[in-house]
């Protein structure tokens, strides 16, 4: 998901691509997207971009027309200008391509007056992102920790007593009113470097911090910014400022003016906690996954739920090709491995036909055939010859057909018990006495 560094890289990409270029015509919007139309149409205009936390602005400014001196030129206040405020959602980004190469999930398009024309398009595959026309920065979002560091610190420290800071620190770091631009992977890296349990109370962690930034000497080795967390002056607010800047200085991130594929190898090597092996993960109260190590903290949810790490194909394939990040290959189970036969004899055409005929499965029988088949089997079943039984044997025995493999078997008649005999004799006596009484 794009966070503060990704939004800044997107704005830098737009500024690099659009510098020295002139755009013309109508802004085309996809009918699928639910955001507003952009009612901005002039002969010539320029595009520039700014970023603040998780928001980005596109500024469309009309150009002055070159006219003779007799005719008065337009004043600066009369020129058209429009600001489009973007929130990228889960998969928003900008691309600069030719017309045939426009992405199928492009939802907003700006055309240049080049020959052939080029297109700056806003791409959002999952369509969670939104834009607003003629909108300013959102009032519900705080200052940017990267480029408005002093305002960011004072905004957090002055509001520590508010109820929002009674929640776990991992959930407060995603509150854009105070931590604008901090997202899921940044909060995991910040808490991991500080050694803070994710479900510790936010007020206990932030209490006692000053509004003035600490005096920390940052070693700048090329593009890599590294800070020793062991120093007592480094606090969690300072890491909220410096960790996103490290991501920006890594470069890449999918915003390349030349249209090359995204390179995430440096970013994967930079991660220490997020989606890394050996780390724990839990879902917070907002059902967002937090990665950490050590104890979770006293405010852990009652229903402990964790998620297995999802392998990301795009990032892994690129990193495996370059050899910078460790490759993750699926382990073959014993069930999937099939040993090859040792017979090396060549099969003749006749043997191949036989093997193919064996492999063909017979058609499945219908319901009527299933009902008829068992009756036919019974009629075709072999029957044993039963010996003749004399009348004397018939009195002592009775024929009982027990179904064992469809063959009738003779079973001897069971003898009556003594109690049953007494009951029969008593009944006979009663019937005889009743007959005598009727005759009298």
């Amino acid at each position: 998901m794009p966070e503060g560094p990704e939004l800044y890289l997107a704005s830098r990409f737009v500024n690099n691509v659009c510098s020295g270029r002139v755009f013309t015509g109508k802004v085309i919007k996809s009918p699928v997207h639910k955001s507003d139309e952009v009612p901005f149409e002039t002969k010539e205009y320029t595009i520039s971009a700014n970023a603040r936390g998780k928001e980005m602005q596109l500024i469309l400014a009309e150009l002055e027309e070159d006219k003779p001196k007799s005719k008065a030129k337009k004043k600066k206040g009369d020129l058209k200008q429009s600001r489009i405020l973007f929130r990228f959602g889960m998969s928003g980004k900008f691309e600069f391509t030719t017309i045939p190469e426009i992405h199928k999930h492009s939802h907003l398009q700006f055309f240049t007056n080049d020959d052939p024309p080029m297109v700056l398009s806003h791409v959002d595959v999952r369509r969670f992102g939104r834009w607003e026309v003629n909108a300013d920065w959102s009032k519900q979002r705080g200052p940017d920790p990267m480029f408005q560091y002093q305002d960011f610190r004072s905004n957090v420290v002055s509001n520590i007593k508010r109820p929002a800071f009674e929640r776990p620190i991992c959930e407060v770091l995603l509150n854009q009113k105070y931590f604008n631009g901090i997202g899921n992977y940044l909060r995991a890296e910040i808490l991991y470097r500080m050694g803070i349990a994710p479900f510790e109370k936010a007020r206990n962690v932030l209490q006692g911090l000053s509004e003035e930034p600490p005096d920390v000497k940052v070693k700048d080795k090329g593009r890599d910014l590294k800070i020793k967390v062991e120093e007592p002056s480094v606090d969690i607010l300072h890491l909220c400022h410096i960790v996103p800047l490290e991501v920006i200085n890594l470069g890449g991130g999918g915003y390349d003016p030349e249209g090359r594929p995204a390179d995430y190898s440096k970013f994967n090597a930079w991660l220490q906690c997020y989606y890394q092996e050996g780390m724990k993960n839990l879902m917070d109260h907002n059902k967002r996954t937090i990665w950490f190590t050590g104890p979770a903290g006293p405010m852990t949810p009652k229903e402990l739920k964790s998620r297995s790490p999802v392998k990301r194909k795009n990032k892994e394939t690129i990193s495996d090709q370059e050899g910078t990040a460790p490759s993750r290959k699926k382990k073959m189970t014993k069930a999937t491995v099939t040993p090859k036969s040792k017979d090396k004899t060549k099969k003749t055409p006749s043997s191949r036909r036989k093997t193919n005929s064996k492999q063909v499965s017979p058609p499945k029988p219908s319901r009527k055939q299933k009902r008829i088949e068992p009756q036919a089997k019974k009629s075709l079943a072999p029957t044993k010859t039963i010996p003749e039984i004399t009348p004397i044997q018939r009195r002592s025995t009775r024929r009982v057909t027990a179904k064992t493999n469809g063959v009738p078997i003779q079973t001897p008649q069971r003898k009556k018990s003594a109690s049953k005999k007494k009951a029969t004799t008593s009944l006979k006596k009663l019937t005889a006495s009743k007959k005598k009484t009727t005759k009298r």
Side-chain angles (χ1 to χ4, degrees):
M1 180 177 178
E3 301 182 14
E6 285 74 28
L7 269 291
Y8 174 78
L9 289 171
S11 67
R12 192 169 71 179
F13 166 76
V14 170
N15 289 328
N16 290 337
V17 164
C18 298
S19 63
R21 294 185 185 272
V22 178
F23 291 80
T24 185
K26 186 180 179 181
V27 180
I28 296 176
K29 175 192 168 292
S30 169
V32 179
H33 208 279
K34 295 180 181 180
S35 294
D36 300 333
E37 295 278 351
V38 181
F40 186 85
E41 185 177 2
T42 56
K43 290 183 179 179
E44 293 181 343
Y45 65 94
T46 58
I47 295 178
S48 59
N50 290 324
R52 179 176 175 263
K54 285 192 176 183
E55 292 180 330
M56 176 184 151
Q57 272 189 351
L58 271 190
I59 303 165
L60 314 181
E62 184 185 7
L63 286 175
E64 290 187 36
E65 296 180 4
D66 294 331
K67 293 182 179 180
K69 294 181 180 180
S70 58
K71 294 183 179 181
K73 293 183 179 180
K74 287 185 179 180
K75 297 180 181 179
K76 291 184 178 180
D78 297 335
L79 295 173
K80 290 183 181 179
Q81 190 173 6
S82 180
R83 293 175 180 267
I84 309 171
L85 186 68
F86 286 90
R87 299 180 186 91
F88 281 10
M90 293 288 289
S91 58
K93 64 176 182 178
F94 276 89
E95 289 186 357
F96 189 70
T97 59
T98 59
I99 292 175
E101 295 175 346
I102 295 175
H103 200 282
K104 65 178 180 179
H105 293 288
S106 173
H107 300 295
L108 207 62
Q109 298 167 8
F110 308 87
F111 295 86
T112 65
N113 61 354
D114 299 333
D115 189 20
M118 302 292 289
V119 185
L120 178 71
S121 55
H122 176 64
V123 179
D124 191 0
V125 176
R126 302 184 71 177
R127 283 186 287 173
F128 290 158
R130 293 287 181 269
W131 66 77
E132 297 177 15
V133 183
N134 296 324
D136 202 355
W137 303 115
S138 176
K139 295 180 180 179
Q140 298 178 356
R141 295 176 181 266
D144 192 337
M146 293 183 289
F147 305 107
Q148 297 173 334
Y149 181 39
Q150 183 61 60
D151 297 335
F152 159 70
R153 285 189 70 95
S154 59
N155 184 36
V156 173
V157 173
S158 60
N159 291 301
I160 282 178
K161 294 182 180 180
R162 290 186 176 273
F165 291 90
E166 292 180 359
R167 300 180 67 84
I169 184 64
C170 65
E171 295 175 11
V172 174
L173 285 174
L174 296 183
N175 190 343
Q176 300 301 298
K177 190 175 181 180
Y178 305 104
F179 297 89
N180 189 9
I182 303 298
N184 208 18
Y185 80 83
L186 285 175
R187 68 168 178 173
E189 297 297 323
I190 290 165
L191 293 174
Y192 174 75
R193 294 192 190 187
M194 289 296 298
I196 298 171
F199 292 96
E200 186 69 35
K201 195 174 183 178
R203 187 177 285 114
N204 297 339
V205 175
L206 300 170
Q207 202 164 9
L209 298 179
S210 63
E211 295 186 12
E212 295 181 1
D215 296 330
V216 180
K217 294 181 180 179
V218 181
K219 295 181 180 180
D220 188 0
K221 295 181 178 179
R223 284 188 169 184
D224 298 333
L225 295 173
K226 294 183 180 180
I227 292 178
K228 294 182 179 179
V229 183
E230 298 174 358
E231 296 180 8
S233 58
V234 175
D235 55 17
I236 188 170
L237 297 181
H238 191 72
L239 285 183
C240 291
H241 163 66
I242 205 69
V243 171
L245 291 175
E246 290 181 8
V247 180
I248 291 172
N249 291 325
L250 290 173
Y255 300 104
D256 194 340
E258 298 179 4
R260 292 175 292 187
D263 182 12
Y264 293 100
S265 58
K266 292 181 180 178
F267 178 76
N268 288 334
W270 173 83
L271 289 172
Q272 300 177 23
C273 179
Y274 184 72
Y275 266 89
Q276 298 301 307
E277 293 182 0
M279 296 294 167
K280 304 175 187 177
N281 70 82
L282 281 175
M283 290 175 63
D284 59 13
H285 296 91
N286 299 322
K287 296 184 180 181
R288 298 287 303 274
T289 307
I290 175 67
W291 296 79
F292 64 98
T293 184
M299 300 183 72
T300 52
K302 292 180 180 179
E303 296 180 358
L304 298 175
K305 292 183 180 180
S306 60
R307 292 178 180 175
S308 58
V310 181
K311 292 183 179 180
R312 302 176 182 180
K313 294 182 181 179
N314 294 331
K315 296 183 180 182
E316 287 170 11
T317 51
I318 293 161
S319 61
D320 292 339
Q321 288 173 3
E322 293 187 0
T324 54
S327 61
R328 299 177 183 175
K329 296 181 180 179
K330 292 183 179 179
K331 294 182 179 179
M332 296 292 288
T333 56
K334 292 182 180 179
T336 55
V337 178
T338 55
K340 295 181 180 179
S341 59
K342 294 181 181 179
D343 298 332
K344 296 182 179 180
T345 57
K346 294 182 179 179
K347 292 184 179 180
T348 58
S350 60
S351 63
R352 286 176 185 172
R353 287 174 188 171
K354 289 179 182 178
T355 54
N356 292 331
S357 63
K358 288 180 182 178
Q359 290 177 359
V360 175
S361 59
K364 293 182 179 179
S366 62
R367 291 183 180 179
K368 291 183 178 178
Q369 289 177 352
K370 287 180 180 178
R371 291 176 184 173
I372 295 164
E373 281 179 1
Q375 294 177 2
K377 285 181 181 177
K378 285 181 182 179
S379 62
L380 295 171
T383 56
K384 291 184 180 180
T385 56
I386 301 167
E388 293 182 357
I389 301 167
T390 58
I392 298 164
Q393 289 177 347
R394 282 177 186 174
R395 290 175 187 174
S396 60
T397 60
R398 63 179 179 179
R399 293 179 66 185
V400 180
T401 58
K403 292 182 181 179
T404 55
N405 297 326
V407 180
I409 298 171
Q410 291 182 357
T411 56
Q413 189 178 4
R414 292 180 182 178
K415 294 181 179 181
K416 291 182 179 180
S417 60
S419 60
K420 286 183 179 181
K421 285 181 180 179
K422 288 179 181 179
T424 52
T425 52
S426 61
L427 284 169
K428 286 178 182 179
K429 287 178 181 179
L430 286 168
T431 52
S433 60
K434 283 180 181 179
K435 285 178 181 180
K436 288 178 182 180
T437 53
T438 51
K439 285 177 180 180
R440 287 178 186 175

